[in-house]
Amino acid sequence: MEAELSFWAFSTNVILPRLSEGILVTLKLTLTSGFIGLILGMLVALLRISGIKLLSYFSLFYITLFRGTPLLLQILFIYFALPTILANYNIDLVIDAFPAGVMALSLNAAAYFAEIFRAGILSIPKGQSEAARALGLSKKQTMLLIIIPQTYRRIIPPLVNELSALTKETSLVSVISLGELLYTTQRVGAKYLRIWEVYLWAGIGYLLIVLILSAIALRIEKKLEQKGGV
Amino acid sequence: MLPINSNEAILKIKNLNKKFGTNEVLKDISTEIKKGEVVVIIGPSGSGKSTFLRCLNFLETPSSGEIIFNNTVISSASNEKSLNIYRSKMGMVFQSFNLFPHLSVLENIILAPKLVLRKSFLKARESALKLLCLVGLESKIDAYPNSLSGGQQQRVAIARALAMNPEVMLFDEATSALDPELVGEVLKVMKELALSGMTMVIVTHEMNFAKEVADRVIFMDKGLIVEQGTPKNVFENPTEKRTIDFLRKL
Ligand SMILES: Nc1ncnc2c1ncn2[C@@H]1O[C@H](COP(=O)(O)OP(=O)(O)OP(=O)(O)O)[C@@H](O)[C@H]1O
Ligand SMILES: [Mg+2]
C-alpha cells in the first residue's frame, strides 16, 4: 500500500518519523563520542608534549594505532573481539551496541583531536609561556590559563572538521546493528522497497547535523573574535 | 652615578655555565648585583647576553653554577616550587612584550598577583591602577593588547612585571622591537624606575641610555665578562681590545 503513496506522503508519513528516531541516535552518538573524544584527546595531547619520554611514546603509540587502522575494524573489534578476550580472563562483559559504538568512536576521535590540540598548543609563541613562567606561574597554570585559551580560535575550524567527519563516521556503527540513521534507513528501505527516497532523506539528515554543528562553531568563533581577537 | 642603597648583594652569581649541546654560551660567569644597582649589559650579537638574563631567573637552566638570592641558593637542584617563587620575585621584560593577547590590560596585570601572591581582586586591581598611572596608561585598563601600540604594550608589560613587587627587574632589549618614535616613552619609564631605586639588569643597545642610568656597565663577548665598570670607565676609557673594537663599531 505504501508503495503507491506519493513521494511527499510517503516521506512525511513513513520515512521521516522512522528516520528521525535514527537521527536522534546518530546525534547522541556524535555528541557523546565527540565530548568524550575531546577530553580524551586533550589528555593524549598533553601526554604527547609532557616531555616525559614514556608518556609521550605511549601517546604516539595510541595516536598511530587509532589513526593507522580502519575505524570499522575498531568498531568490530570492540563489539565482537573484546568480550571474547576478556572472557579468557574470566571477565564476563557484554557490551551493548551503543556503548561499544561510543567507545570505538571516542577512542578513534581522540587520536585525531589529540593531533589538533597538539598542533594548536605548539603554535602558540614560546614567549607566551616564558612570560607566564617569569611571573611565577607554574607549568600547569601556564598551560591551563595562558596557552590553551589562546588555542581555542585556531583549533575550532579543524575541530569542527573532525566533528563533521565523526558525524558521518557514526554511520559505520550500523554494522553492529545499532539503530542510528544509516541502519534505520537500510531497514526502512528494505521494508518498503522504496530505496532512493529513504537514502535521499538520510543524506539530508547527515547534512543537517553537519551544517548545524558548523553554524554553532561559527558563532563561537565570532564570540571569541570579539574578545581580543585571539 | 646614583648612590647604591647599600653594599648588600641581592644576587650573587657563582661560576655560571651554560651549554647548548657543545656550544658553550656562558663560560664560568661570576658577579654580584647589589641592591638598588642598575647594571647594563652590552656586547655583540650572540655573546650570551640574553642567555645570561634568562639564567638569572631560570627560564634557562644553567649547566652548572649557582645563584644566591638574598642568602638562598638557587641552582639546577632547586625544586620546581621554589623556582616558581624565585621567578615571581624577578620581574622580566622581553623584547617582544609577550602580553597575553586573550586577556585585557587589567587581566594581564592582575593574573599573577592573584594566582601567585594570592591577592584579592580588589587589592590587585588597586595596585594595577597605580602601576598603569605610573606608566601613563590608566585609560587603557580595559583594552586588549592587540589594540595598543608597541610602546604601550611594552609599558603594560613593565607594569605587569612590577605588579609582582619584584626585587630585581630584568630587561632584555626592551626597546629593540619598537619603532624609533616609541623608544623614548619606554626608556622614560625605565629611567624613572631606576631613579626609584629598583635593582635592574638591563640588556640594551641604547648606549646613551646606558651612560645615563647605569651604575655599572658590563661588556660581554663570547660568553665571558670581558670588562666592567662605571659607564665613564667602560665607554670613555675601555682597556680591553674587544671592548674598544665593539664601541668603535657603534
Ligand atoms: N635555546 C637555544 N638553543 C640553542 N642555542 C641557543 C639557544 N639560545 C641561544 N642559543 C645560542 O647561544 C648563543 C648566545 O645567544 P644569546 O641569545 O644569549 O645572545 P645575545 O647576546 O642575546 O645576542 P643578541 O644581541 O643577538 O640578542 C648564540 O650562539 C645562540 O645561537
Ligand atoms: Mg639577546
Side-chain angles (χ1 to χ4, degrees), chain B residues 10 12 31 33 44 112 116 142 158 169 207 232 242 246:
Chain B
I10 194 164
K12 290 183 192 149
T31 188
I33 289 157
V116 181
D142 291 318
I158 294 173
M169 283 285 285
M207 295 303 158
K232 204 170 159 68
R242 279 190 274 176
F246 174 75

Side-chain angles (χ1 to χ4, degrees), chain A:
Chain A
M1 169 189 105
E2 281 85 356
E4 285 128 45
L5 285 176
S6 75
F7 171 74
W8 284 112
F10 182 65
S11 294
T12 47
N13 293 338
V14 182
I15 304 182
L16 292 182
R18 290 291 310 275
L19 290 204
S20 53
E21 288 164 30
I23 279 206
L24 279 183
V25 177
T26 290
L27 253 179
K28 247 165 69 184
L29 264 179
T30 306
L31 295 180
T32 320
S33 322
F35 182 71
I36 299 174
L38 281 174
I39 292 170
L40 207 57
M42 181 52 95
L43 271 171
V44 173
L46 289 176
L47 293 186
R48 184 99 158 78
I49 56 174
S50 62
I52 302 165
K53 271 222 167 85
L54 191 72
L55 297 181
S56 151
Y57 280 130
F58 168 77
S59 162
L60 183 62
F61 171 75
Y62 178 92
I63 292 169
T64 312
L65 182 71
F66 279 94
R67 301 209 311 176
T69 57
L71 175 56
L72 187 55
L73 178 83
Q74 292 161 22
I75 294 168
L76 294 171
F77 190 91
I78 286 172
Y79 189 63
F80 293 114
L82 198 58
T84 64
I85 295 174
L86 291 177
N88 288 338
Y89 296 95
N90 289 323
I91 302 170
D92 196 17
L93 182 82
V94 184
I95 313 179
D96 286 333
F98 186 81
V102 166
M103 197 168 152
L105 289 168
S106 338
L107 289 172
N108 181 272
Y112 288 90
F113 286 144
E115 286 297 82
I116 294 171
F117 286 132
R118 187 175 77 102
I121 289 169
L122 293 182
S123 75
I124 304 302
K126 215 165 154 250
Q128 289 293 309
S129 63
E130 288 181 348
R133 299 308 304 280
L135 287 165
L137 269 65
S138 68
K139 274 188 186 160
K140 201 168 131 196
Q141 290 170 329
T142 300
M143 188 51 81
L144 290 177
L145 298 165
I146 303 300
I147 307 300
I148 292 179
Q150 289 187 53
T151 65
Y152 292 157
R153 223 172 64 109
R154 294 171 205 225
I155 62 177
I156 283 176
L159 282 183
V160 174
N161 270 342
E162 206 35 60
L163 218 53
S164 310
L166 178 66
T167 308
K168 292 172 278 178
E169 281 162 355
T170 55
S171 61
L172 290 174
V173 180
S174 59
V175 292
I176 54 174
S177 307
L178 180 62
E180 45 68 73
L181 182 52
L182 185 67
Y183 184 77
T184 315
T185 306
Q186 290 169 328
R187 294 289 294 270
V188 176
K191 185 170 173 196
Y192 300 104
L193 293 174
R194 293 185 61 162
I195 308 296
W196 70 267
E197 290 100 325
V198 276
Y199 282 101
L200 177 75
W201 281 112
I204 292 171
Y206 282 112
L207 205 56
L208 267 180
I209 300 181
V210 170
L211 289 178
I212 289 169
L213 286 176
S214 307
I216 293 172
L218 202 67
R219 280 194 67 144
I220 299 175
E221 221 178 318
K222 280 261 164 62
K223 271 256 165 64
L224 290 172
E225 209 159 334
Q226 287 158 6
K227 238 193 130 207
V230 184

Side-chain angles (χ1 to χ4, degrees), chain B residues 102-121:
Chain B
H102 61 305
L103 302 179
S104 70
V105 166
L106 177 68
E107 290 164 338
N108 261 277
I109 297 176
I110 66 175
L111 178 78
K114 270 168 51 192
L115 281 176
V116 181
L117 305 178
R118 312 226 163 263
K119 277 198 184 179
S120 69
F121 171 78

